[in-house]
Amino acid sequence: MSDDDSLERALRAMLQDDTDNHAGRSDDQRLDSVLHRAHLHGAAGDLLGLFSRWGWVLSEGGARGLKHARPTRRDADNSKSPEL
């Protein structure tokens, strides 16, 4: 991995924090804990993104739906045109 990989840095920082807090646990247990937290962070970000997209779609649909809140008759415009 490259030196500027933010995911790698975040995982290393989480592993270091977990090492400081739980020194008696094995490496596998600490790694499981860190990966679990990383998974939760990713899932939370995905859910926020999903809800923001839903919000955008609903707001666009609502705004366009309000333009047609009352039904209009198209044949009313044709009846006013002069006959040939």
Side-chain angles (χ1 to χ4, degrees):
M1 290 187 171
S2 64
D3 291 333
D4 61 339
D5 188 8
S6 61
L7 177 62
E8 181 183 0
R9 277 186 279 144
L11 288 174
R12 287 183 190 276
M14 288 171 69
L15 187 60
Q16 185 62 39
D17 290 343
D18 196 60
T19 302
D20 294 343
N21 294 335
H22 303 97
R25 295 187 343 179
S26 71
D27 288 342
D28 288 339
Q29 289 173 333
R30 287 191 324 229
L31 183 60
D32 285 344
S33 174
V34 167
L35 292 177
H36 179 72
R37 281 190 286 158
H39 178 73
L40 289 177
H41 286 278
D46 290 343
L47 279 175
L48 288 174
L50 178 68
F51 287 134
S52 68
R53 288 185 189 100
W54 280 358
W56 180 82
V57 167
L58 292 175
S59 68
E60 284 294 311
R64 291 181 184 182
L66 286 176
K67 290 179 185 177
H68 305 288
R70 289 185 292 166
T72 58
R73 300 186 80 187
R74 294 177 188 252
D75 60 347
D77 292 337
N78 292 338
S79 65
K80 295 180 183 177
S81 64
E83 294 182 24
L84 295 175

